[in-house]
């Protein structure tokens, strides 16, 4: 019997996850299938329970359900620390957050040092929360910059309750630049994402630091305006496709117990990107 997994989100217009996972199942000759399920916000609970009733093994959860999903499963320590679930094991009704693993694994794959480094995270949404938890966990000194400072402060206050040793503060972009050299800049906002490809989350008028490494969680386009700015200023730029692939690979391992064919998943994601 075919084993089934899938993704819930809304409106779920673009997701590379079915292509990535189904390519991995095919490559390993596994009788598994990954479905996409567009679940509107008022029926998230049913969107989790119905697949379980039908024998599904697991689910990925994407925008905008990652926070709400926490209420319907038993979150592990990481999901609790981030305050969001992106992967559910329906056999045990437990939830975890593989975005943290995805980001940190991709940074390490690119040899980006984190321990003791000064990292600026742009944004204060779910992706920023995962970044702050992962980066502080890896020993980085994190500064959060967000359009709404109040939201950033609330995020850190909340994360500090869950992670008492959190090494992070909120600053304006100006102050973050003036306070010292930035080793790594992580974009966890959607600014610059297709179709608004000429936009950058870097505030105009603030001097762009030289030699900084940018990690942009956006993967469409592959080269964002922010990434161009980094390279124009002698820095390095990494797009978010690797984070997407590694968070998927972690979910694959969790559900199947099988080592994921990460390169196959990368190729499928690149094909999807090229077809957009
Ligand atoms: P979210 O919860 O909606 O948060 C969005 C954040 O971006 C907020 O802090 C918001 O600021 C800020 N923002 C939005 N529009 C802005 C603008 N025009 N100017 C300045 N700031 C703006 O979204 P999310 O779930 O955290 O996702 C953020 C991004 O990460 C998305 O592009 C998503 O695709 C990407 N992501 C990628 C991966 C991956 O695997 N590569 C994984 C997760 C997420 P305010 O608080 O002021 O509103």
């Amino acid at each position: 019997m075919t084993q089934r997994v899938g993704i819930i989100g809304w409106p779920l217009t673009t997701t590379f996850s079915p292509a990535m996972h189904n390519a991995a199942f095919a490559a390993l000759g596994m009788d598994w299938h990954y479905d996409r399920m567009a679940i509107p916000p008022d029926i998230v609970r049913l969107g989790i329970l119905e697949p379980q009733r039908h024998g599904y093994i697991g689910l990925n959860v994407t925008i905008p359900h990652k926070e709400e999903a926490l209420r319907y499963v038993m979150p592990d320590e990481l999901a609790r620390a981030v305050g969001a679930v992106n992967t559910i094991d329906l056999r045990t009704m437990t939830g975890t957050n593989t975005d943290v693993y995805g980001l940190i694994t991709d940074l390490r794959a690119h040899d980006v040092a984190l321990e003791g480094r000064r990292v600026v995270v742009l944004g204060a949404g779910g992706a920023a929360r995962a970044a702050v938890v992962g980066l502080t966990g890896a020993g980085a000194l994190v500064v959060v910059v967000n359009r709404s400072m109040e939201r950033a402060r609330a995020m850190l206050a909340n994360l500090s309750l869950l992670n008492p040793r959190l090494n992070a503060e909120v600053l304006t972009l100006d102050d973050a630049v003036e306070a010292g050299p930035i080793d790594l800049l992580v974009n966890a906002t959607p600014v610059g994402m297709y179709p608004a490809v000429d936009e950058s989350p870097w505030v105009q008028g603030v001097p762009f630091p030289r030699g900084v490494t940018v990690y942009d969680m956006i993967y469409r386009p592959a080269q964002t305006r922010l990434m161009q700015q980094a390279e124009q200023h002698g820095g390095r730029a990494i797009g978010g496709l690797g984070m997407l692939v590694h968070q998927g690979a972690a979910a694959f391992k969790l559900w199947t117990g099988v080592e994921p064919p990460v390169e196959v998943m990368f190729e499928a994601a690149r094909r999807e990107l090229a077809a957009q």
Side-chain angles (χ1 to χ4, degrees):
M1 196 182 72
T2 305
Q3 306 281 9
R4 301 194 94 87
V5 288
I7 183 165
I8 62 167
W10 186 259
L12 204 60
T13 38
T14 310
T15 169
F16 294 0
S17 295
M20 278 193 317
H21 285 273
N22 286 327
F25 295 143
L28 298 182
M30 294 167 68
D31 188 12
W32 283 61
H33 189 76
Y34 188 108
D35 291 315
R36 57 188 298 150
M37 295 172 253
I39 301 292
D42 53 334
I43 58 162
V44 175
R45 186 171 159 273
L46 276 180
I48 295 170
L49 292 182
E50 278 300 297
Q52 190 211 26
R53 204 168 67 79
H54 286 90
Y56 276 68
I57 302 286
L59 292 175
N60 277 139
V61 182
T62 189
I63 293 171
H65 304 330
K66 290 186 192 184
E67 284 84 13
E68 190 173 353
L70 203 62
R71 297 168 52 194
Y72 308 121
V73 296
M74 223 158 24
D76 68 359
E77 206 178 313
L78 197 55
R80 271 202 307 275
V82 177
V85 158
N86 83 330
T87 302
I88 296 174
D89 186 331
L90 292 171
R91 295 165 295 197
T92 52
M93 284 309 269
T94 51
T96 188
N97 191 304
T98 65
D99 281 338
V100 176
Y101 171 86
L103 173 65
I104 300 301
T105 303
D106 202 36
L107 285 168
R108 294 211 190 289
H110 286 90
D111 289 322
V112 178
L114 298 174
E115 173 89 51
R117 303 306 159 109
R118 196 158 174 271
V119 183
V120 171
V121 173
L122 303 177
R129 291 176 73 99
V132 172
V133 168
L135 292 164
T136 56
L141 315 169
V142 173
V143 175
V144 177
V145 172
N146 192 49
R147 178 175 58 181
S148 153
M149 277 187 94
E150 199 148 323
R151 187 171 175 203
R153 285 201 194 96
M155 174 183 82
L156 279 198
N158 182 259
L159 286 178
S160 300
L161 285 178
L162 301 159
N163 319 274
R165 291 187 304 279
L166 200 80
N167 203 336
E169 61 178 336
V170 176
L171 291 177
T172 63
L173 188 58
D174 266 317
D175 289 346
V177 169
E178 268 177 32
I182 299 169
D183 297 303
L184 173 66
L185 174 69
V186 176
N187 179 31
T189 81
V191 183
M193 191 159 72
Y194 178 87
V197 297
D198 292 330
E199 291 178 12
S200 165
W202 192 265
V203 179
Q204 264 188 5
V206 179
F208 202 96
R210 284 210 69 78
V212 73
T213 297
V214 161
Y215 191 94
D216 199 330
M217 288 196 193
I218 293 171
Y219 47 82
R220 188 181 178 209
Q223 176 85 355
T224 62
R225 178 82 195 97
L226 179 69
M227 290 165 69
Q228 289 166 9
Q229 286 172 303
E231 288 179 352
Q232 282 159 5
H233 291 85
R236 188 181 170 205
I238 307 162
L241 198 69
M243 175 177 175
L244 178 80
V245 170
H246 289 296
Q247 65 76 31
F252 183 99
K253 177 81 193 278
L254 185 92
W255 297 325
T256 65
V258 173
E259 223 35 69
V262 177
E263 238 346 281
V264 170
M265 296 176 88
F266 254 113
E267 277 165 31
R270 284 194 200 102
R271 266 199 308 277
E272 288 290 298
L273 192 57
Q276 297 292 313

